Amino acid sequence: MFSRPRRNRKSAAIRNMIQETHLGVEHLIYPLFLVNGKNVKDEVASMPGNYRWSLDLLLKEIEECVKLGVVSFDLFPAVDEALKDQKASYSYADDNFYLHAIRKIKETFPDIMLMSDVAMDPYSSDGHDGVVRDGKILNDVTLPILSKMALAQAQAGVDIIGPSDMMDGRVAEIRQTLDENKYEDVSIMSYTAKYASAFYGPFRDALDSAPKSGDKKTYQMNPANKREALIEADLDQAEGADMLMVKPALAYLDVIHLLNENYDLPITAYNVSGECAMLYAAAQNGWLDYNQAMPEMLLSMRRAGASAILTYFAKDFAKLIKS
């Protein structure tokens, strides 16, 4: 035999030298859950090790993460039901605790990357990402609300706007609003191919943001469709998105690869709550080694073509690398 591929695997030095895909802390974005109040650290039952934080304790958590090398964060608000209405008006209110938190976080840690969430569901009394009327999600009526929300977040100091709603035309609407108000440097990471997935359950538990009726299948994508992601990506790129996201990640590696092969924009992946919860549960039961399976899972997303990964594993991965 003249060809023996095993010769390139015979030592750690050789394996590391020719490794094709690399995964570092710099590739990870850490999603964090924020609640109003003080001295709150409430664990999410379906995601052990992940918490709903009040701002005072969240600042300490971010400081700890920064020391580990995690410098990119995505902030999600858990909003009291009394503050919700059909038009998500609290999302851009002056007294919004989420906007206050963005300001305080950026004042305290000016060099971190802070990403926001733009969607109505955390603030909507209907629990949907758009305005609901007679059981129908109204696309065009929703767009001005999303724009107001995005502008308020940009004014608070966020670095990247993350429209997660899947309304048609929302990237163009948000980009135009930001530019008209002199926030042309604020980036948009569009949730381009966001699927109507069964893997979002723990996230909705964390934020109590599940729809009060119906489902999200009229605006989130059919899990059976791949080429449709190209249509969404074409639109988002043309409308001014700076990065394209695929959500979920693990069950949609083929879609991550498809977008990476067809677009020059960075492709990001959201390693969602349900994907992480599966590994947490398997590790707790002794079925999988967490410290081996977790990096392998993230590496698969990088190998598929993700430039960055939103993952609840970010802090654990940073600890693992440091140790």
Side-chain angles (χ1 to χ4, degrees):
M1 289 186 286
F2 288 100
S3 181
R4 291 182 180 268
R6 284 187 58 190
R7 285 196 286 259
N8 288 341
R9 306 175 196 142
K10 66 185 178 183
S11 72
I14 293 175
R15 290 193 299 271
N16 292 338
M17 180 179 68
I18 63 172
Q19 181 171 318
E20 298 174 27
T21 305
H22 295 272
L23 173 67
V25 178
E26 68 272 14
H27 300 123
L28 306 182
I29 302 170
Y30 194 16
L32 296 168
F33 301 123
L34 176 73
V35 294
N36 203 6
K38 290 185 177 181
N39 200 34
V40 179
K41 183 182 178 182
D42 181 22
E43 188 171 35
V44 181
S46 50
M47 286 195 293
N50 290 271
Y51 302 88
R52 303 175 192 89
W53 302 90
S54 56
L55 178 59
D56 54 336
L57 299 187
L58 181 62
L59 292 171
K60 296 177 182 178
E61 172 70 0
I62 292 174
E63 182 179 14
E64 188 175 323
C65 289
V66 169
K67 289 177 180 177
L68 290 167
V70 179
V71 295
S72 297
F73 303 89
D74 195 356
L75 194 61
F76 294 92
V79 180
D80 189 275
E81 199 68 29
L83 297 171
K84 299 180 182 181
D85 60 29
Q86 288 188 312
K87 295 186 177 180
S89 56
Y90 182 67
S91 66
Y92 49 86
D94 291 339
D95 60 348
N96 185 324
F97 73 93
Y98 180 71
L99 300 176
H100 168 72
I102 290 172
R103 292 187 185 94
K104 185 63 177 178
I105 291 168
K106 287 300 291 183
E107 287 172 5
T108 309
F109 305 101
D111 295 328
I112 68 167
M113 188 287 288
L114 187 60
M115 180 176 167
S116 66
D117 178 56
V118 173
M120 283 184 59
D121 57 333
Y123 308 97
S124 166
S125 53
D126 294 298
H128 275 284
D129 292 24
V131 175
V132 181
R133 190 174 298 161
D134 298 325
K136 184 177 180 180
I137 314 301
L138 302 182
N139 191 97
D140 295 8
V141 174
T142 300
L143 298 184
I145 298 173
L146 300 176
S147 288
K148 289 180 182 179
M149 193 185 310
L151 178 59
Q153 293 172 1
Q155 291 169 336
V158 80
D159 300 291
I160 298 179
I161 298 291
S164 62
D165 56 285
M166 288 300 287
M167 296 296 116
D168 293 338
R170 90 277 205 206
V171 173
E173 183 93 6
I174 291 171
R175 184 73 272 161
Q176 182 177 349
T177 298
L178 292 176
D179 289 357
E180 287 176 349
N181 287 276
K182 310 302 182 186
Y183 289 99
E184 52 277 308
D185 289 338
V186 174
S187 307
I188 296 177
M189 183 190 293
S190 175
Y191 287 59
T192 296
K194 181 179 180 180
Y195 286 86
S197 171
F199 289 101
Y200 301 150
F203 178 93
R204 291 175 181 170
D205 289 344
L207 299 187
D208 190 23
S209 61
K212 299 298 189 292
S213 63
D215 54 42
K216 300 192 176 188
K217 293 181 179 179
T218 64
Y219 47 101
Q220 293 180 357
M221 287 176 56
N222 184 342
N225 293 357
K226 182 165 79 170
R227 288 182 298 176
E228 186 180 3
L230 297 173
I231 297 173
E232 293 285 358
D234 280 345
L235 289 169
D236 285 354
Q237 179 172 253
E239 291 176 15
D242 300 286
M243 289 162 265
L244 309 177
M245 185 200 293
V246 176
K247 179 183 179 183
L250 190 61
Y252 297 85
L253 296 175
D254 58 328
V255 181
I256 296 171
H257 182 261
L258 179 69
L259 295 192
N260 186 57
E261 291 291 300
N262 284 277
Y263 298 90
D264 294 329
L265 293 177
I267 309 301
T268 60
Y270 199 144
N271 180 207
V272 299
S273 60
E275 295 170 338
C276 297
M278 290 191 301
L279 181 51
Y280 291 137
Q284 285 181 339
N285 282 280
W287 300 333
L288 291 174
D289 184 310
Y290 180 75
N291 286 338
Q292 291 187 26
M294 177 262 290
E296 182 180 345
M297 185 183 288
L298 297 175
L299 191 64
S300 74
M301 300 164 199
R302 287 277 296 148
R303 191 181 63 247
S307 298
I309 304 166
L310 287 86
T311 179
Y312 302 94
F313 297 145
K315 186 179 180 183
D316 284 350
F317 179 81
K319 287 180 178 178
L320 184 65
I321 293 299
K322 200 168 184 82
S323 65

